[in-house]
Amino acid sequence: MKYDLAVTIDKASGFCFGVVYAIDMAEDILDHEEYLYCLGDIVHNDEEVSRLKAKGLRIIDHDQLHELRNEKVLIRAHGEAPSTYQLALENGLTLIDASCPVVLKLQNRIKNSHDDEEQILIFGKHGHAEVIGLQGQTDGKAIVFQDLAELDQVELPSKFTLYSQTTKSTDKFYHIKDQLIGRGYDVKANDTICRQVSNRYGDLEKFVVNFDKILFVSGKKSSNGKVLYDVCKKHNDHSYFISNLEEIELDWLAPGDRVGICGATSTPMWLMEQVKAKLESY
Ligand code: SF4
């Protein structure tokens, strides 16, 4: 049986400028040099990481960074804490800094708040590289939380400044802000969610309603991938999350379906194109 699917890729999906910038920087260097170290996955997408590893990118963690001397190391879009820059100075490492300008600006705002002795709360994912970099601006003093329930376990100051990891959901951020104000806290709230992510909500909503089925392509570690997939699912119940071609299930599809393909800010366009070609081959 031939499925004859009508497949469309969302033109607005794919890499944000922060990711494009980091990958361009890595590829420029790898065009001339045999290898380049990168601290952490350059992007939360295993397929794109594999492509770059084949060109000579060497992904390392912080323990491995401590062992390196006199090498070049790329800092990815998520940014790093000040301690990483200090370590690089001590060990003769040349940092190729591809921290996203949006993240750098947020780091700077948090640092200024900390210098002004404000109590800081960061709505973000524990252990996420960006959040570690943000918390590092406060000597580890900022309180990081993933949901309101977590704050019930902590004694909060009566007055504090609230920030957000750049890829969190705006709805959740404003809900948290309102709830905290409702509980009587004096909250100075800063919506620091990246517009490269939040502007996609509206576009995605409009895109997904035009299709019988949606395949959302993203790495499982991508924070914005989770947020954007929730948007798809909310507006088209027949939305499916996949990370690679092998995860496509024929059971999801019916002959003649109109299928929309979209993805996160870390999803390469070439992968979405491969998904399209596979669907068209059914
Ligand atoms: S999502 Fe926004 S903050 Fe994050 S890397 Fe992309 S442009 Fe930068």
Side-chain angles (χ1 to χ4, degrees):
M1 180 177 62
K2 189 90 177 97
Y3 274 73
D4 286 326
L5 304 168
V7 189
T8 308
I9 297 176
D10 175 25
K11 296 271 182 298
S13 284
F15 291 159
C16 59
F17 65 75
V19 170
V20 169
Y21 179 67
I23 291 175
D24 280 356
M25 229 184 228
E27 290 199 289
D28 279 353
I29 292 174
L30 291 170
D31 281 346
H32 304 104
E33 296 180 27
E34 201 186 322
Y35 65 87
L36 172 66
Y37 289 103
C38 175
L39 187 53
D41 282 346
I42 189 164
V43 58
H44 284 156
N45 188 282
D46 291 345
E47 282 64 26
E48 180 66 0
V49 169
S50 300
R51 186 184 75 81
L52 291 164
K53 274 184 178 170
K55 292 185 113 184
L57 196 70
R58 297 181 182 175
I59 308 288
I60 53 167
D61 59 21
H62 283 84
D63 287 344
Q64 291 165 308
L65 183 75
H66 276 82
E67 305 304 316
L68 286 188
R69 299 289 181 278
N70 308 314
E71 294 277 6
K72 269 186 198 161
V73 182
L74 184 94
I75 301 296
R76 60 188 169 168
H78 291 320
E80 278 294 319
S83 54
T84 301
Y85 294 85
Q86 185 57 38
L87 181 74
L89 267 180
E90 287 162 12
N91 291 350
L93 303 174
T94 306
L95 295 183
I96 313 293
D97 198 347
S99 303
C100 173
V102 178
V103 175
L104 286 178
K105 190 170 161 202
L106 172 55
Q107 286 185 347
N108 202 32
R109 286 179 72 177
I110 290 181
K111 184 179 184 315
N112 287 340
S113 283
H114 176 65
D115 291 348
D116 290 343
E117 296 181 359
E118 294 171 14
Q119 307 279 329
I120 297 166
L121 263 68
I122 301 172
F123 172 43
K125 187 176 168 191
H126 293 290
H128 189 285
E130 179 191 319
V131 174
I132 293 169
L134 298 178
Q135 206 183 19
Q137 310 303 318
T138 69
D139 294 328
K141 295 214 171 71
I143 298 170
V144 174
F145 69 103
Q146 294 186 184
D147 53 45
L148 274 172
E150 227 181 285
L151 292 182
D152 294 339
Q153 323 298 323
V154 183
E155 195 165 335
L156 293 179
S158 58
K159 181 178 178 184
F160 51 80
T161 306
L162 176 65
Y163 288 99
S164 172
Q165 181 182 350
T166 57
T167 46
K168 282 290 182 194
S169 144
T170 37
D171 284 355
K172 284 191 188 147
F173 177 80
Y174 283 103
H175 175 72
I176 286 167
K177 173 193 162 190
D178 292 344
Q179 288 285 317
L180 291 171
I181 291 172
R183 291 179 190 183
Y185 293 108
D186 183 349
V187 184
K188 184 172 151 198
N190 298 285
D191 170 358
T192 50
I193 292 159
C194 174
R195 290 321 183 227
Q196 287 273 310
V197 180
S198 61
N199 285 349
R200 290 194 184 184
Y201 303 165
D203 293 343
L204 213 47
E205 261 178 62
K206 287 191 205 117
F207 177 78
V208 299
V209 294
N210 298 314
F211 300 94
D212 302 307
K213 308 286 158 59
I214 292 294
L215 292 196
F216 183 83
V217 189
S218 168
K220 294 192 173 52
K221 285 185 266 178
S222 165
S223 294
N224 77 83
K226 289 187 189 79
V227 173
L228 293 172
Y229 174 65
D230 286 346
V231 173
C232 294
K233 194 74 185 159
K234 189 169 163 196
H235 296 276
N236 186 329
D237 201 32
H238 300 287
S239 297
Y240 303 96
F241 188 108
I242 57 165
S243 296
N244 54 52
L245 300 179
E246 285 68 46
E247 290 178 4
I248 302 173
E249 291 186 25
L250 260 182
D251 286 357
W252 298 336
L253 306 164
D257 268 351
R258 291 163 301 154
V259 184
I261 298 173
C262 42
T265 59
S266 48
T267 306
M269 187 51 77
W270 62 260
L271 184 57
M272 289 188 278
E273 277 161 4
Q274 284 186 357
V275 172
K276 181 172 190 275
K278 177 142 192 201
L279 292 175
E280 286 172 342
S281 72
Y282 290 144

CSV table of all heavy atoms in Angstrom, one decimal, residues 14-20 22 76-79 98-104 106 130 165-167 192-198 200 224 265-266, ligand 1:
chain,number,residue,atom,x,y,z
A,14,GLY,N,13.8,25.0,13.3
A,14,GLY,CA,15.2,24.8,13.1
A,14,GLY,C,16.1,25.8,13.9
A,14,GLY,O,15.5,26.5,14.8
A,15,PHE,N,17.3,25.8,13.7
A,15,PHE,CA,18.3,26.5,14.5
A,15,PHE,C,18.0,27.9,14.8
A,15,PHE,O,17.6,28.7,13.8
A,15,PHE,CB,19.7,26.5,13.9
A,15,PHE,CG,20.4,25.1,13.9
A,15,PHE,CD1,21.4,24.8,13.0
A,15,PHE,CD2,20.0,24.1,14.7
A,15,PHE,CE1,22.0,23.6,12.9
A,15,PHE,CE2,20.6,22.9,14.7
A,15,PHE,CZ,21.6,22.6,13.8
A,16,CYS,N,18.1,28.4,16.0
A,16,CYS,CA,18.0,29.8,16.3
A,16,CYS,C,19.4,30.4,16.0
A,16,CYS,O,20.4,29.7,15.8
A,16,CYS,CB,17.8,30.0,17.8
A,16,CYS,SG,19.0,29.2,18.8
A,17,PHE,N,19.5,31.7,16.1
A,17,PHE,CA,20.8,32.4,15.7
A,17,PHE,C,21.9,32.0,16.6
A,17,PHE,O,23.1,31.9,16.2
A,17,PHE,CB,20.6,33.9,15.5
A,17,PHE,CG,20.3,34.7,16.8
A,17,PHE,CD1,21.3,34.9,17.7
A,17,PHE,CD2,19.1,35.2,16.9
A,17,PHE,CE1,21.0,35.6,18.9
A,17,PHE,CE2,18.8,35.9,18.1
A,17,PHE,CZ,19.7,36.2,19.0
A,18,GLY,N,21.6,31.7,17.9
A,18,GLY,CA,22.6,31.4,18.9
A,18,GLY,C,23.3,30.1,18.5
A,18,GLY,O,24.5,29.9,18.6
A,19,VAL,N,22.5,29.1,18.0
A,19,VAL,CA,23.1,27.8,17.7
A,19,VAL,C,23.8,27.9,16.3
A,19,VAL,O,24.9,27.3,16.1
A,19,VAL,CB,21.9,26.7,17.6
A,19,VAL,CG1,22.4,25.5,17.0
A,19,VAL,CG2,21.4,26.5,19.0
A,20,VAL,N,23.2,28.7,15.4
A,20,VAL,CA,23.9,28.9,14.1
A,20,VAL,C,25.3,29.5,14.3
A,20,VAL,O,26.3,29.0,13.7
A,20,VAL,CB,23.1,29.8,13.2
A,20,VAL,CG1,23.9,30.3,12.0
A,20,VAL,CG2,21.8,29.2,12.8
A,22,ALA,N,27.3,29.3,17.0
A,22,ALA,CA,28.2,28.4,17.6
A,22,ALA,C,28.7,27.3,16.6
A,22,ALA,O,29.9,27.0,16.5
A,22,ALA,CB,27.6,27.7,18.8
A,76,ARG,N,30.0,26.7,24.1
A,76,ARG,CA,28.8,26.6,23.3
A,76,ARG,C,27.8,27.7,23.7
A,76,ARG,O,28.0,28.5,24.7
A,76,ARG,CB,28.2,25.3,23.5
A,76,ARG,CG,27.8,25.0,24.9
A,76,ARG,CD,27.4,23.6,25.1
A,76,ARG,NE,27.3,23.3,26.6
A,76,ARG,CZ,26.7,22.3,27.1
A,76,ARG,NH1,26.2,21.4,26.3
A,76,ARG,NH2,26.7,22.1,28.4
A,77,ALA,N,26.7,27.8,23.0
A,77,ALA,CA,25.7,28.9,23.2
A,77,ALA,C,25.2,29.0,24.6
A,77,ALA,O,24.9,30.1,25.0
A,77,ALA,CB,24.5,28.7,22.2
A,78,HIS,N,25.1,27.9,25.4
A,78,HIS,CA,24.6,28.0,26.7
A,78,HIS,C,25.4,28.9,27.7
A,78,HIS,O,24.9,29.3,28.7
A,78,HIS,CB,24.6,26.6,27.4
A,78,HIS,CG,23.6,25.7,26.8
A,78,HIS,ND1,22.3,26.0,26.4
A,78,HIS,CD2,23.7,24.3,26.5
A,78,HIS,CE1,21.7,25.0,25.9
A,78,HIS,NE2,22.5,23.9,25.9
A,79,GLY,N,26.7,29.1,27.3
A,79,GLY,CA,27.5,30.0,28.2
A,79,GLY,C,28.1,29.1,29.3
A,79,GLY,O,27.8,27.9,29.5
A,98,ALA,N,31.5,31.0,22.1
A,98,ALA,CA,30.3,31.1,21.2
A,98,ALA,C,29.1,31.2,22.1
A,98,ALA,O,28.0,30.8,21.7
A,98,ALA,CB,30.2,29.8,20.3
A,99,SER,N,29.3,31.7,23.3
A,99,SER,CA,28.1,31.9,24.2
A,99,SER,C,27.1,32.8,23.4
A,99,SER,O,27.5,33.8,22.8
A,99,SER,CB,28.5,32.7,25.5
A,99,SER,OG,29.5,32.0,26.2
A,100,CYS,N,25.8,32.5,23.5
A,100,CYS,CA,24.8,33.3,22.8
A,100,CYS,C,24.7,34.7,23.4
A,100,CYS,O,24.7,34.8,24.7
A,100,CYS,CB,23.5,32.5,22.9
A,100,CYS,SG,22.2,33.5,22.2
A,101,PRO,N,24.6,35.7,22.6
A,101,PRO,CA,24.5,37.1,23.2
A,101,PRO,C,23.3,37.2,24.1
A,101,PRO,O,23.4,38.0,25.1
A,101,PRO,CB,24.3,38.0,21.9
A,101,PRO,CG,24.7,37.1,20.8
A,101,PRO,CD,24.7,35.7,21.2
A,102,VAL,N,22.2,36.5,23.9
A,102,VAL,CA,21.1,36.6,24.8
A,102,VAL,C,21.4,36.0,26.1
A,102,VAL,O,21.0,36.6,27.2
A,102,VAL,CB,19.9,35.8,24.1
A,102,VAL,CG1,18.7,35.8,25.1
A,102,VAL,CG2,19.5,36.3,22.8
A,103,VAL,N,22.2,34.9,26.2
A,103,VAL,CA,22.6,34.3,27.4
A,103,VAL,C,23.6,35.2,28.1
A,103,VAL,O,23.5,35.4,29.4
A,103,VAL,CB,23.2,32.9,27.2
A,103,VAL,CG1,23.7,32.3,28.5
A,103,VAL,CG2,22.1,32.0,26.6
A,104,LEU,N,24.5,35.8,27.4
A,104,LEU,CA,25.5,36.7,28.0
A,104,LEU,C,24.9,37.9,28.7
A,104,LEU,O,25.2,38.3,29.7
A,104,LEU,CB,26.5,37.2,26.9
A,104,LEU,CG,27.5,36.2,26.4
A,104,LEU,CD1,28.4,36.8,25.3
A,104,LEU,CD2,28.4,35.7,27.6
A,106,LEU,N,21.8,38.0,29.9
A,106,LEU,CA,21.2,37.5,31.1
A,106,LEU,C,22.2,37.3,32.2
A,106,LEU,O,22.0,37.6,33.4
A,106,LEU,CB,20.4,36.2,30.8
A,106,LEU,CG,19.8,35.5,31.9
A,106,LEU,CD1,18.9,36.4,32.8
A,106,LEU,CD2,19.0,34.3,31.4
A,130,GLU,N,23.2,26.0,31.0
A,130,GLU,CA,22.9,27.5,31.0
A,130,GLU,C,22.7,27.9,32.5
A,130,GLU,O,23.2,28.9,32.9
A,130,GLU,CB,21.7,27.8,30.1
A,130,GLU,CG,21.4,29.3,30.2
A,130,GLU,CD,20.0,29.7,29.6
A,130,GLU,OE1,19.7,29.1,28.5
A,130,GLU,OE2,19.3,30.5,30.2
A,165,GLN,N,15.5,30.9,33.1
A,165,GLN,CA,16.3,30.3,32.0
A,165,GLN,C,15.7,30.7,30.7
A,165,GLN,O,14.5,30.9,30.6
A,165,GLN,CB,16.3,28.8,32.2
A,165,GLN,CG,17.1,28.0,31.2
A,165,GLN,CD,16.9,26.5,31.4
A,165,GLN,OE1,16.4,26.0,32.4
A,165,GLN,NE2,17.4,25.7,30.5
A,166,THR,N,16.5,30.9,29.7
A,166,THR,CA,16.0,31.5,28.4
A,166,THR,C,15.0,30.7,27.7
A,166,THR,O,14.2,31.2,26.9
A,166,THR,CB,17.2,31.8,27.4
A,166,THR,OG1,17.9,30.6,27.2
A,166,THR,CG2,18.1,32.8,28.0
A,167,THR,N,15.0,29.4,27.9
A,167,THR,CA,14.1,28.5,27.1
A,167,THR,C,12.9,28.0,27.9
A,167,THR,O,12.2,27.1,27.4
A,167,THR,CB,14.9,27.3,26.6
A,167,THR,OG1,15.7,26.8,27.7
A,167,THR,CG2,15.9,27.7,25.5
A,192,THR,N,13.0,36.8,31.2
A,192,THR,CA,14.3,36.7,30.4
A,192,THR,C,14.2,35.5,29.5
A,192,THR,O,15.2,34.9,29.2
A,192,THR,CB,15.5,36.6,31.4
A,192,THR,OG1,15.3,35.6,32.4
A,192,THR,CG2,15.7,38.0,32.0
A,193,ILE,N,13.0,35.2,29.0
A,193,ILE,CA,12.8,34.1,28.1
A,193,ILE,C,13.2,34.6,26.7
A,193,ILE,O,12.8,35.7,26.3
A,193,ILE,CB,11.4,33.6,28.2
A,193,ILE,CG1,11.2,32.9,29.6
A,193,ILE,CG2,11.1,32.6,27.1
A,193,ILE,CD1,9.8,32.8,30.0
A,194,CYS,N,13.9,33.7,26.0
A,194,CYS,CA,14.4,34.2,24.7
A,194,CYS,C,13.3,34.2,23.7
A,194,CYS,O,12.5,33.3,23.6
A,194,CYS,CB,15.5,33.1,24.2
A,194,CYS,SG,16.0,33.5,22.5
A,195,ARG,N,13.2,35.3,22.9
A,195,ARG,CA,12.1,35.5,22.0
A,195,ARG,C,12.3,34.5,20.8
A,195,ARG,O,11.3,34.2,20.0
A,195,ARG,CB,12.0,36.9,21.5
A,195,ARG,CG,11.5,37.8,22.6
A,195,ARG,CD,10.4,37.1,23.4
A,195,ARG,NE,9.7,37.9,24.5
A,195,ARG,CZ,9.5,37.4,25.7
A,195,ARG,NH1,10.0,36.2,26.1
A,195,ARG,NH2,8.9,38.1,26.6
A,196,GLN,N,13.5,34.0,20.5
A,196,GLN,CA,13.7,33.0,19.5
A,196,GLN,C,12.9,31.8,19.8
A,196,GLN,O,12.5,31.0,18.9
A,196,GLN,CB,15.2,32.6,19.4
A,196,GLN,CG,16.1,33.7,18.8
A,196,GLN,CD,16.1,33.6,17.3
A,196,GLN,OE1,16.3,32.5,16.7
A,196,GLN,NE2,15.8,34.7,16.6
A,197,VAL,N,12.6,31.6,21.1
A,197,VAL,CA,11.8,30.4,21.5
A,197,VAL,C,10.3,30.8,21.6
A,197,VAL,O,9.4,30.3,21.0
A,197,VAL,CB,12.3,29.8,22.8
A,197,VAL,CG1,11.4,28.6,23.2
A,197,VAL,CG2,13.7,29.4,22.7
A,198,SER,N,10.1,31.9,22.4
A,198,SER,CA,8.7,32.2,22.7
A,198,SER,C,7.9,32.7,21.5
A,198,SER,O,6.7,32.5,21.4
A,198,SER,CB,8.6,33.2,23.9
A,198,SER,OG,9.2,34.4,23.5
A,200,ARG,N,8.1,31.5,18.7
A,200,ARG,CA,7.7,30.4,17.9
A,200,ARG,C,6.4,29.8,18.4
A,200,ARG,O,5.8,29.0,17.6
A,200,ARG,CB,8.8,29.3,18.0
A,200,ARG,CG,10.0,29.7,17.2
A,200,ARG,CD,11.0,28.6,17.0
A,200,ARG,NE,12.2,29.1,16.3
A,200,ARG,CZ,13.2,28.4,15.9
A,200,ARG,NH1,13.1,27.1,16.0
A,200,ARG,NH2,14.2,29.0,15.3
A,224,ASN,N,14.0,23.5,25.1
A,224,ASN,CA,13.0,24.2,24.3
A,224,ASN,C,12.2,23.2,23.5
A,224,ASN,O,11.1,23.5,23.1
A,224,ASN,CB,13.6,25.4,23.5
A,224,ASN,CG,14.3,24.9,22.3
A,224,ASN,OD1,13.8,24.7,21.2
A,224,ASN,ND2,15.6,24.8,22.4
A,265,THR,N,14.8,24.7,18.5
A,265,THR,CA,15.9,25.6,18.1
A,265,THR,C,17.2,24.9,17.9
A,265,THR,O,18.2,25.5,17.4
A,265,THR,CB,16.1,26.8,19.0
A,265,THR,OG1,16.4,26.2,20.3
A,265,THR,CG2,14.8,27.6,19.2
A,266,SER,N,17.2,23.6,18.3
A,266,SER,CA,18.5,22.8,18.2
A,266,SER,C,18.3,21.7,17.1
A,266,SER,O,19.2,20.9,17.0
A,266,SER,CB,18.8,22.2,19.5
A,266,SER,OG,17.6,21.6,20.1
B,1,SF4,S1,17.3,29.8,22.2
B,1,SF4,FE1,17.8,32.0,22.3
B,1,SF4,S2,19.1,32.2,24.1
B,1,SF4,FE2,19.2,30.0,23.4
B,1,SF4,S3,20.9,29.9,22.0
B,1,SF4,FE3,19.0,30.3,20.8
B,1,SF4,S4,19.0,32.5,20.5
B,1,SF4,FE4,20.4,32.1,22.2
